[in-house]
Amino acid sequence: MARSKEELLAKLSECVVEMEEEEVVDVAKEYIEAGYPAFDGIMDGLVDGMNKASDLYDAEEYFVTDVLLCSDAMYAGLEVLRPHLPENADAGEKPKAVIGVVEGDTHDIGKNLVKIMMDTAGFEMYDLGRDVPLDAFVDKAIEVNASIVCMSTLMTTTMVGMKTVIEKLQERGIRDKVKVMIGGSPISQKYADEIGADGYSTNAVEAVKLAKRLLNIA
């Protein structure tokens, strides 16, 4: 008997958490063949699983190697689902976003997840990587005429770099043209408000919703 959309989404999520790289491909194919939307499969299946894997990592039940294997499974599923996403060509130019982990921090699992999700949701992503010099965020935003700058950190010692980037955007005269999103486990809405960021998100799915809300994209 054919599995329901909910069953297949749960299975996609489970395959990512369990690092089942081969099985996730079969499930993703079954999902597409059943006629279900690829975007939901990515968001509510693969990314849901990756968020659960990140939670397990935060709880110290998974190690970095486990999370990397989970991401391999997610990428395998993405390869199947991505070609079936609706074309955004008619929507005009994609909104541009600069993303990176602030200087002094090399934890980039969360950042990579947000990048994948925003890319899938139709943003043109410029990934600066990890341990990014603070001026690089500003320089890249100016170079590509970005609409959003996304910064993350998992370390309390590097959080202040986010405030510095916002000040640099102000100094360069583009703060009012660029939305600033921040994230990472030590970050809170209170801190976002304190440093003048436009928003903060707790995970990749929320980051996409926030980015769209900030730019008034349906």
Side-chain angles (χ1 to χ4, degrees):
M1 198 174 82
R3 289 193 272 189
S4 69
K5 181 183 178 184
E6 287 67 32
E7 286 173 321
L8 289 169
L9 288 174
K11 193 64 185 172
L12 285 169
S13 175
E14 182 188 310
C15 285
V16 172
V17 175
E18 299 296 333
M19 313 165 215
E20 297 286 355
E21 194 173 337
E22 289 180 15
E23 188 179 355
V24 78
V25 170
D26 294 335
V27 178
K29 286 176 180 172
E30 183 183 344
Y31 179 87
I32 289 298
E33 284 161 10
Y36 300 127
F39 188 74
D40 293 351
I42 293 169
M43 295 288 276
D44 302 328
L46 301 177
V47 172
D48 180 71
M50 203 62 214
N51 280 327
K52 287 174 180 170
S54 295
D55 289 343
L56 288 166
Y57 176 74
D58 289 340
E60 298 183 353
E61 290 180 41
Y62 270 20
F63 299 104
V64 171
T65 46
D66 298 317
V67 176
L68 290 173
L69 289 169
C70 291
S71 67
D72 285 344
M74 183 188 66
Y75 278 116
L78 265 178
E79 279 188 30
V80 176
L81 297 179
R82 223 178 198 157
H84 298 277
L85 287 169
E87 283 294 328
N88 288 328
D90 301 335
E93 195 177 346
K94 289 182 173 184
K96 296 173 181 174
V98 172
I99 191 168
V101 180
V102 293
E103 192 168 24
D105 190 351
T106 57
H107 301 91
D108 63 358
I109 292 166
K111 182 269 297 175
N112 291 341
L113 199 49
V114 171
K115 178 203 165 189
I116 291 164
M117 287 320 307
M118 288 183 66
D119 184 30
T120 302
F123 288 83
E124 189 172 327
M125 301 302 295
Y126 294 87
D127 186 4
L128 302 178
R130 55 192 185 176
D131 192 16
V132 179
L134 304 181
D135 281 313
F137 286 100
V138 185
D139 292 341
K140 196 67 179 178
I142 292 170
E143 179 195 327
V144 303
N145 194 25
S147 302
I148 298 187
V149 169
C150 310
M151 296 180 280
S152 73
T153 184
L154 289 187
M155 297 166 62
T156 52
T157 51
T158 53
M159 285 167 58
V160 69
M162 295 174 165
K163 181 172 185 280
T164 305
V165 170
I166 291 173
E167 289 167 352
K168 287 176 182 290
L169 290 168
Q170 192 87 43
E171 287 165 15
R172 302 282 285 275
I174 65 161
R175 178 64 187 96
D176 58 341
K177 298 174 188 169
V178 181
K179 300 295 183 186
V180 176
M181 284 170 45
I182 61 175
S185 53
I187 307 300
S188 63
Q189 186 61 56
K190 181 172 178 283
Y191 185 69
D193 294 340
E194 275 175 18
I195 67 172
D198 295 295
Y200 129 89
S201 64
T202 52
N203 59 49
V205 175
E206 290 304 315
V208 172
K209 291 177 185 172
L210 173 61
K212 288 187 167 187
R213 197 162 63 240
L214 291 175
L215 297 183
N216 293 316
I217 298 172

